[in-house]
Amino acid sequence: MIDQKTLTHLQQLEADSIHIMREVVAETENPVMLYSIGKDSSVLLHLARKAFFPAKIPFPVMHVDTTWKFREMIKFRDDLAKEYNLDLIVYTNPDGVSQNVGPFSHGSAVHTDIMKTQALKQALDKYKFDAAFGGARRDEEKSRAKERIFSFRSEQHRWDPKNQRPELWSLYNTKKKPGESIRVFPLSNWTELDIWQYIYLENIPMVPLYFAKERPVVFRNGIWIMVDDDRLVLEKDEKPEVKCVRFRTLGCYPLTGAIESNASTLPDIIQEMLLTKTSERQGRVIDQDSGASMEMKKQEGYF
Amino acid sequence: MSHQSNLIETDILGYLKDQEHKSLLRFITCGSVDDGKSTLIGRLLYESKLIYEDQLATLKKDSSKVGTQGDDIDFALLVDGLASEREQGITIDVAYRYFSTDKRKFIVADTPGHEQYTRNMATGASTAELAILMVDARHGIMTQTRRHSTIVHMLGVDKIVLAINKMDLVDYEESTYQKILDDYRTFATELGIRDFTAIPVSALKGDNITDPSEEMAWYSGPSLIEFLETVPLKTVNTAGAFTMPVQWVNRPNLDFRGFAGQITTGKIAVGDAIEVLPAKVRSTVKSIVTFEKEAKEAIRGESVTLTLNDEIDISRGDVLVCKGSKTEIGHSFVSTLLWMSEEALVPGKSYWIKTRAKLLSGTIQAPRYRLNVNTLEKSESETLSLNEIGQCECEFDQDIAYEPYTRNPHLGSFIIIDRQSNNTVGMGLIEDSIGHESWAERHVSERNKYWSKGIVSYADRVKQNKHKSLLIVLTGEVAREQYSNIGTALEKQLCEEGIRAYRYGFQFMRIADTDKQSITELRQDMFRHLLDIGYAFLDAGMVFITSIRNMSRKEAEELRVISKPFDVVIIDLDKQTSIADRVCSDFDTSKESLIADIVSRVKDS
């Protein structure tokens, strides 16, 4: 770095993200980081460790657990929390648990709403967090491309896309009324390639599910679903096959499609991503409805 | 996904290495409602192969359903992300887009055209380094073009592309392009925009986007992408003086006290002396703490944590600067404001003010003037309403470390927050502090301190020369030759009249290393340098003739301050333009009596 006159684009993105995180810690009362165990969350966590080093991360890290995540994700989460000495909160919607809500019994829409959207709102209310970091990027989806880095939510956690505050220079207005909260997206300006490249350069640990391996899968509704536990009840003509697959995004295992792949290292993954012809979120069941579905979900409080 | 590079398939590690060192350009696109901004961005994404097959399929489906291009793909649908935008077919909010080419990475802010969304446009412009102003070739320069140019210029975006779009609808005629170019040049000059690049394009058909247009062989300039890929970026100013607002104090235990912040200008190394503003306490850097290891040096843009060798009280909002920094301290300022709320500015009301360093309270006076962004006329006003620009005096409740916006946007900008609604209601750019001496006055007192006087007095020299000294400065927007022709002629004729005159001519911009300084800083330094030389001649009792291109009224005032107590004559050689900030000319060079007038001025006793 000493001999370089300018920062590379990744160094610029990193420095700006760290600035955003420090600003939140300095100006809000009770921030939290939402941690989904995926690649964007991993980068976010890494940046938080850098931003506050040598102090430990000065806020808790919260995982909203739908109880349907891949087992490997949960193990990775718990190992990492121990290694990094994280203040980890795991929250599950108790109503959903008592009603046995799941994607198979209730469908993806109801499951996502109760176990993810409602659970998140409950958790934010329970702990009275006034700011929550998320790993969303603007290049992911059209309505996200229009969202501010500091995005306000009403007391009911609603997003009003038509009434966003102007966000000028790097001057972030964190003023809010009691009950209102802010979603903060430090990775707003990162692209998918930036994320992977940063993971590669910084050697950030990743859930093994991102890497290709032989795994048992069934073909259902046009996507390969991994048989992660015995809650996946096989239909009559279904037979699990062992295929070399990996996942481009991670979520609830019944809602996350695997892709056939041999990419078992980071450079392999990046190469595969660059040569692929379908977008990242395509493997997610929840986005396939209509063009405005993400915007609607966001308005309702889905992060 | 990304642009196609053979390296992806053959040598992914080599490709990643290349990617790592790409530069980043942030730009905005702005223009009137139907100029085709969204179409242009969609086209850029499409041309850089950034659209996936599934997205393309959705796009084709949407195009036939709600698109406005018949059977063609409606690229605008890619960017108009909010449901209400797609329904109304207009862009409401800033959309950020990302694409890259073999040479560069780009972050694009697509900003709305409607006047009611000017604040969203300013949002996009505040972080941009370049602006693409879209103009519809059929309509030419519109009110919106003027408004957007004003805002872009005000925010210091100095690279401007005038994209004359929809050339396909005017039969790709050169004369249409030329007329718009000329119209814009007139307006831009008046506004003070020094440079811009005009490119005739058709975003819809793809002309001059990536490749030269076959339809417009008469155009020999770069295509849009080519220009974006090669335009020189703002040099990262590591040579400037170090400044860093302290964001957060890192105190994990009693033994560690670090000051975390993002370096806004310059660089810092272990051992460097620093000063803490506004308290003006000094110390030296003990260490630069980063996650990987301790660094020896850090540069502008980096977010770092510094520890110091002395235990001094520093908190969020303080600014660390190095010796020689031009950062000043003040609490009342003349600022340019852009108002962003439906509720008009209430003069005297208390607002929250957020600067790069901290949050404070402040009041704003009724505007000194309001700027008509279409005519550039300044008029009286009691307030500023939504989307209006004006100059106001602002008074903060505490001192801050600041620099004028033109020199350091990070330390010269603030936002205004309403205490009831918590909304961001305005943006402010610091021009100058009020009630503090100007740099010219400071320069004079510095010079007087170090000027060692001889025993021959000025009165003795007047007696010897038989005339007083005089500073003659030629100015105006004219060719360099005209300056030197008139300057040398004056010098010769005055000498023939027995006046000890000397003309000093040099090429202003060529002297300094432009990489290291902003244009404003450079101009101020040159200005000072020139007047110091002139001052020696004036002190020696001579008539000193020189030229300063396009001097502003403020500079003229500074010039008179710096040259005190000697007499000054400013001659404006330019009679054509009517720039608002134009200086008053003391003499007219076309008058036959010019030499006699000057002679009588210096001989007058």
Side-chain angles (χ1 to χ4, degrees):
Chain A
M1 192 157 300
I2 292 165
D3 297 317
Q4 286 175 305
K5 215 180 164 193
T6 56
L7 303 182
T8 67
H9 79 277
L10 277 177
Q11 287 169 326
Q12 283 181 50
L13 290 171
E14 178 193 76
D16 289 345
S17 299
I18 289 175
H19 174 254
I20 291 162
M21 289 184 160
R22 289 171 172 172
E23 205 61 14
V24 170
V25 166
E27 290 211 339
T28 65
E29 312 253 312
N30 192 15
V32 65
M33 175 179 287
L34 296 185
Y35 177 64
S36 73
I37 321 176
K39 65 181 193 311
D40 302 300
S41 276
S42 299
V43 168
L44 203 57
L45 189 63
H46 185 75
L47 288 169
R49 295 177 73 213
K50 281 194 162 189
F52 304 104
F53 179 83
K56 77 178 267 220
I57 298 176
F59 41 76
V61 170
M62 184 165 77
H63 179 228
V64 174
D65 193 347
T66 61
T67 73
W68 290 88
K69 301 293 173 189
F70 291 90
R71 283 176 300 165
E72 275 185 273
M73 289 170 73
I74 303 301
K75 179 176 185 310
F76 180 86
R77 175 195 75 191
D78 294 342
D79 289 351
L80 207 67
K82 211 186 238 171
E83 193 189 331
Y84 293 167
N85 189 22
L86 299 178
D87 180 4
L88 177 71
I89 298 173
V90 176
Y91 186 86
T92 303
N93 183 348
D95 308 337
V97 172
S98 64
Q99 289 160 31
N100 254 322
V101 172
F104 295 126
S105 49
H106 293 71
S108 71
V110 172
H111 167 74
T112 305
D113 180 53
I114 294 179
M115 300 309 282
K116 193 164 175 177
T117 310
Q118 301 307 323
L120 174 64
K121 291 198 228 174
Q122 288 171 356
L124 293 173
D125 288 342
K126 177 179 172 189
Y127 294 100
K128 300 198 164 35
F129 292 123
D130 63 343
F133 291 106
R137 291 175 282 112
R138 285 176 176 150
D139 81 330
E140 275 179 75
E141 195 272 331
K142 278 194 274 192
S143 67
R144 278 191 172 157
K146 304 232 161 177
E147 191 163 9
R148 302 285 188 259
I149 295 171
F150 283 65
S151 186
F152 285 77
R153 296 292 184 275
S154 69
E155 211 163 341
Q156 293 75 39
H157 301 282
R158 289 187 71 90
W159 180 51
D160 182 359
K162 281 189 214 159
N163 198 18
Q164 299 197 80
R165 292 178 185 173
E167 203 160 78
L168 303 152
W169 298 292
S170 316
L171 301 180
Y172 303 108
N173 172 2
T174 59
K175 286 275 165 196
K176 57 196 174 308
K177 294 189 180 122
E180 290 176 348
S181 58
I182 321 173
R183 306 287 185 274
V184 185
F185 304 109
L187 302 180
S188 287
N189 286 327
W190 296 55
T191 64
E192 189 182 8
L193 178 59
D194 295 332
I195 293 285
W196 280 116
Q197 192 160 16
Y198 189 71
I199 290 169
Y200 173 63
L201 289 173
E202 298 278 311
N203 209 6
I204 300 172
M206 299 295 291
V207 184
L209 292 161
Y210 282 110
F211 302 95
K213 205 180 111 178
E214 294 202 323
R215 298 183 168 97
V217 287
V218 292
F219 197 70
R220 195 182 276 186
N221 300 329
I223 53 176
W224 289 104
I225 303 281
M226 180 165 152
V227 187
D228 198 45
D229 59 35
D230 54 18
R231 289 181 292 181
L232 188 143
V233 181
L234 294 174
E235 284 166 22
K236 253 190 248 151
D237 50 348
E238 269 179 349
K239 220 174 103 194
E241 297 174 50
V242 173
K243 282 190 167 290
C244 192
V245 294
R246 65 177 209 89
F247 297 86
R248 288 173 69 189
T249 62
L250 294 180
C252 297
Y253 82 82
L255 301 176
T256 309
I259 52 166
E260 288 186 70
S261 166
N262 291 314
S264 58
T265 65
L266 273 172
D268 287 351
I269 289 178
I270 298 172
Q271 184 174 38
E272 189 186 271
M273 178 198 84
L274 290 170
L275 295 174
T276 190
K277 292 184 166 55
T278 52
S279 67
E280 180 186 16
R281 301 191 70 89
Q282 205 218 20
R284 293 197 191 177
V285 177
I286 77 161
D287 284 345
Q288 290 185 347
D289 315 340
S290 75
S293 72
M294 178 59 90
E295 184 181 343
M296 268 160 54
K297 286 196 176 72
K298 284 179 78 71
Q299 285 187 28
E300 284 157 14
Y302 171 90
F303 212 65
Chain B
M1 167 210 167
S2 185
H3 57 283
Q4 295 301 312
S5 164
N6 291 333
L7 273 183
I8 296 173
E9 253 172 300
T10 55
D11 178 12
I12 184 69
L13 294 177
Y15 173 81
L16 289 176
K17 204 83 205 150
D18 279 358
Q19 288 290 313
E20 223 182 290
H21 296 288
K22 271 187 191 174
S23 54
L24 176 68
L25 173 64
R26 291 170 183 248
F27 69 90
I28 63 163
T29 54
C30 41
S32 305
V33 184
D34 294 318
D35 290 344
K37 297 177 307 296
S38 301
T39 308
L40 177 76
I41 297 201
R43 169 65 72 173
L44 291 176
L45 298 181
Y46 180 76
E47 298 273 341
S48 60
K49 314 276 189 295
L50 208 79
I51 299 176
Y52 288 112
E53 278 182 0
D54 58 324
Q55 288 175 324
L56 199 63
T58 311
L59 182 64
K60 281 181 179 155
K61 201 175 72 193
D62 288 353
S63 293
S64 57
K65 203 163 66 184
V66 287
T68 53
Q69 301 302 332
D71 289 337
D72 284 340
I73 294 177
D74 186 355
F75 288 110
L77 295 177
L78 268 179
V79 264
D80 287 338
L82 302 175
S84 48
E85 294 181 332
R86 281 197 298 277
E87 283 156 17
Q88 295 175 50
I90 57 164
T91 306
I92 292 174
D93 214 329
V94 196
Y96 293 90
R97 295 284 151 189
Y98 305 82
F99 73 98
S100 59
T101 65
D102 283 338
K103 299 203 178 84
R104 237 173 221 173
K105 292 207 149 222
F106 300 94
I107 300 182
V108 193
D110 181 23
T111 65
H114 269 281
E115 179 153 17
Q116 67 196 100
Y117 304 120
T118 296
R119 59 180 174 185
N120 307 64
M121 186 252 153
T123 296
S126 71
T127 52
E129 189 171 340
L130 175 146
I132 298 182
L133 295 171
M134 299 286 291
V135 176
D136 187 324
R138 295 169 303 171
H139 306 136
I141 307 301
M142 309 274 283
T143 307
Q144 283 90 337
T145 322
R146 285 194 264 268
R147 186 174 60 246
H148 292 155
S149 300
T150 307
I151 293 168
V152 156
H153 180 64
M154 164 181 139
L155 289 172
V157 180
D158 57 0
K159 299 180 187 73
I160 292 174
V161 178
L162 186 73
I164 302 173
N165 191 25
K166 305 197 183 179
M167 287 300 291
D168 53 313
L169 299 181
V170 295
D171 298 330
Y172 298 106
E173 272 174 6
E174 185 178 7
S175 57
T176 309
Y177 162 80
Q178 195 59 46
K179 172 155 192 330
I180 295 173
L181 175 60
D182 292 343
D183 285 352
Y184 189 72
R185 185 173 288 134
T186 307
F187 173 75
T189 309
E190 212 177 313
L191 189 60
I193 292 174
R194 285 161 198 269
D195 199 16
F196 68 92
T197 303
I199 305 177
V201 300
S202 165
L204 189 68
K205 307 283 179 198
D207 292 284
N208 280 337
I209 301 296
T210 18
D211 300 315
S213 165
E214 285 173 19
E215 307 281 353
M216 292 180 277
W218 46 264
Y219 172 77
S220 57
S223 71
L224 185 60
I225 291 260
E226 198 183 331
F227 183 78
L228 294 175
E229 278 182 331
T230 52
V231 61
L233 299 183
K234 222 171 258 175
T235 315
V236 170
N237 191 354
T238 47
F242 166 77
T243 59
M244 183 187 96
V246 174
Q247 249 192 307
W248 187 68
V249 180
N250 192 340
R251 282 211 89 169
N253 55 58
L254 291 175
D255 301 326
F256 187 91
R257 194 172 157 81
F259 305 101
Q262 190 170 19
I263 300 173
T264 42
T265 49
K267 61 180 176 183
I268 192 79
V270 172
D272 281 359
I274 58 104
E275 188 173 36
V276 186
L277 299 180
K280 292 196 172 174
V281 186
R282 291 181 180 179
S283 185
T284 49
V285 176
K286 184 178 169 192
S287 64
I288 301 169
V289 180
T290 69
F291 189 64
E292 293 86 3
K293 58 184 185 307
E294 296 218 337
K296 286 207 172 66
E297 192 183 59
I299 62 172
R300 169 166 121 168
E302 284 188 81
S303 283
V304 293
T305 301
L306 304 180
T307 65
L308 303 177
N309 282 315
D310 304 276
E311 282 214 12
I312 47 180
D313 187 31
I314 300 176
S315 44
R316 174 176 166 83
D318 290 336
V319 177
L320 306 185
V321 302
C322 70
K323 227 167 90 184
S325 107
K326 291 177 179 163
T327 311
E328 294 169 85
I329 298 162
H331 63 272
S332 54
F333 304 100
V334 177
S335 310
T336 301
L337 260 52
L338 167 59
W339 202 253
M340 305 184 134
S341 166
E342 283 82 4
E343 275 178 55
L345 162 72
V346 181
K349 172 178 163 176
S350 176
Y351 291 96
W352 291 115
I353 303 289
K354 185 162 182 190
T355 66
R356 177 66 186 240
K358 63 164 135 187
L359 187 75
L360 31 95
S361 285
T363 53
I364 299 154
Q365 299 309 311
R368 287 180 164 187
Y369 65 78
R370 185 176 59 188
L371 186 72
N372 180 325
V373 290
N374 303 322
T375 61
L376 302 183
E377 266 168 6
K378 294 168 179 174
S379 61
E380 280 184 29
S381 173
E382 299 196 338
T383 184
L384 292 176
S385 306
L386 180 65
N387 297 323
E388 287 186 339
I389 296 172
Q391 192 189 57
C392 299
E393 291 180 15
C394 307
E395 172 103 21
F396 299 165
D397 69 342
Q398 45 190 289
D399 272 340
I400 59 161
Y402 79 94
E403 292 189 34
Y405 183 84
T406 48
R407 193 167 75 213
N408 184 347
H410 302 287
L411 296 180
S413 52
F414 59 90
I415 56 171
I416 304 159
I417 301 168
D418 187 89
R419 284 172 178 273
Q420 274 79 49
S421 68
N422 292 323
N423 280 332
T424 304
V425 293
M427 66 195 293
L429 291 77
I430 294 177
E431 287 181 27
D432 206 352
S433 150
I434 306 166
H436 284 64
E437 52 180 11
S438 68
W439 74 264
E441 286 163 333
R442 265 201 317 280
H443 181 66
V444 169
S445 49
E446 284 289 302
R447 190 179 59 198
N448 290 347
K449 210 158 63 187
Y450 295 109
W451 195 281
S452 159
K453 292 220 175 255
I455 49 172
V456 182
S457 74
Y458 176 65
D460 293 335
R461 295 191 194 276
V462 172
K463 218 177 276 173
Q464 189 188 13
N465 294 343
K466 301 191 179 62
H467 64 80
K468 296 189 295 185
S469 30
L470 176 67
L471 173 64
I472 299 177
V473 181
L474 308 175
T475 188
E477 167 81 48
V478 293
R480 216 179 285 284
E481 294 76 18
Q482 212 175 324
Y483 282 122
S484 69
N485 291 347
I486 295 177
T488 47
L490 268 179
E491 178 185 36
K492 184 160 179 292
Q493 291 175 43
L494 287 171
C495 284
E496 284 167 357
E497 293 287 335
I499 307 288
R500 314 190 75 165
Y502 183 80
R503 175 204 160 248
Y504 181 65
F506 75 115
Q507 296 211 341
F508 177 64
M509 299 309 275
R510 302 270 165 82
I511 287 185
D513 180 1
T514 46
D515 278 349
K516 291 188 180 139
Q517 285 176 305
S518 73
I519 296 293
T520 318
E521 258 182 304
L522 181 73
R523 186 163 166 106
Q524 193 170 308
D525 280 355
M526 288 295 104
F527 193 75
R528 195 158 35 200
H529 163 79
L530 178 61
L531 295 180
D532 279 352
I533 293 174
Y535 198 78
F537 278 80
L538 296 174
D539 196 47
M542 296 174 67
V543 172
F544 187 74
I545 305 162
T546 191
S547 54
I548 298 174
R549 257 176 98 84
N550 287 347
M551 196 160 48
S552 71
R553 221 177 271 174
K554 183 166 172 281
E555 285 175 325
E557 278 165 28
E558 288 163 352
L559 182 146
R560 290 181 204 275
V561 168
I562 290 178
S563 308
K564 260 181 205 162
F566 303 108
D567 194 12
V568 176
V569 162
I570 296 172
I571 301 176
D572 192 345
L573 301 178
D574 184 6
K575 293 169 199 72
Q576 313 306 320
T577 54
S578 56
I579 296 167
D581 198 30
R582 189 187 168 126
V583 298
C584 304
S585 193
D586 296 305
F587 283 113
D588 189 345
T589 47
S590 60
K591 273 173 81 176
E592 286 204 19
S593 62
L594 176 69
I595 297 297
D597 290 347
I598 294 174
V599 171
S600 84
R601 185 132 171 178
V602 295
K603 294 254 179 170
D604 177 44
S605 47

